[in-house]
Amino acid sequence: MPFAQLVIGPPGSGKSTYCDGMHQFMSAIGRKCSVVNLDPANDHTSYPCALDIRDLVTLEEVMADEELGPNGGVLYALEELEHNVGWLQKGLDGLGEDYILFDCPGQVELFTHHSSLRNIFFRLQKMGYRLVALHLTDSYCLTLPSLYISTLLLSLRSMLQMDLPHLNVLTKIDKIASYGPLPFDLEFYTEAQDLPEIIPHLLEENPMMRHPKFEGLNNAVIELVEDFGLVGFETLAVEDKKSMMTLLHSIDRAGGYAFGGAEGANDTVWQVAVRDGMRTMNVQDVQERWIDRKEEFDEIERRQLEEEAKANEAPSLTDDAGEEEEDSDIEEMRRHIPDSGIKVVRMP
């Protein structure tokens, strides 16, 4: 049974960067992964593209032939893919049981009210794919109450439209400290509870919001989000291995991979750590690492990298000079993995 992530989100949220980083991370943990580009405007991908919608239709061709603008052209291209979904199915059949990352276009219409993208993914479900929608949003949205409320609405609408196992992710969390202090701890934003507390900060942001009609609208929006009780956020720093491992563990649980994957007794330490959630980061850890003590942790990591570089340059003192030292993160995880009671004996 193949598994897949549907990477959606507005422009600039880091979708392609995420696909590149997750592809590298999965390769490092021994999980075979392929990336499919579904953005007809993306003519330069940083990741190895196993299947590209531009082989079927390009944005430039659509805009020239149909006299459409960029947004209309992307919608038309996805409708074209929906009508030729057999082309996509044939390409996916060639990828076998690979874990698939779908890099989707950034037009929000596609995952808020336009039906083509949803219909395509429903066809993939009928093919047997276990899908998880991953809605990425730049963590800059936390800096302004109005942006955060807009993000809540967009996330909720996407969840209702896509109708799939769904995770909302605040990307670039490692940059959040550079935007200035937040009025609340990170947990307030990730849990999306007690939302009426943000109203006073919204009024400070823009005096126009003090008008009675805006006050009623803001209260109605907050009440709507709280009544559904669906929206919450994960966090991601794509260059941080622990952050990637934490997010992948959440995705695996949402899609059932944690309970049905093909990993077994020959797993690497990283594979066991990802599957079992060893040393994952909760929101308090993220707050400490990227906001409260960012400079301190950055300095610690810099020193560790320097020490590892020096150790790699030094001649080996062991008999097996070709054997590299194990990564310090793997050694740390090895100490925290409990004894499963299974002993694996490898024959020479």
Side-chain angles (χ1 to χ4, degrees), residues 303-314:
R303 291 178 180 176
Q304 289 176 343
L305 290 174
E306 289 180 352
E307 292 175 358
E308 290 176 6
K310 291 179 181 178
N312 291 334
E313 291 175 359

Side-chain angles (χ1 to χ4, degrees), residues 181-198:
L182 300 175
F184 303 98
D185 287 342
L186 189 59
E187 186 174 9
F188 173 87
Y189 300 99
T190 58
E191 297 298 322
Q193 298 179 358
D194 301 318
L195 293 177
E197 294 182 13
I198 205 171

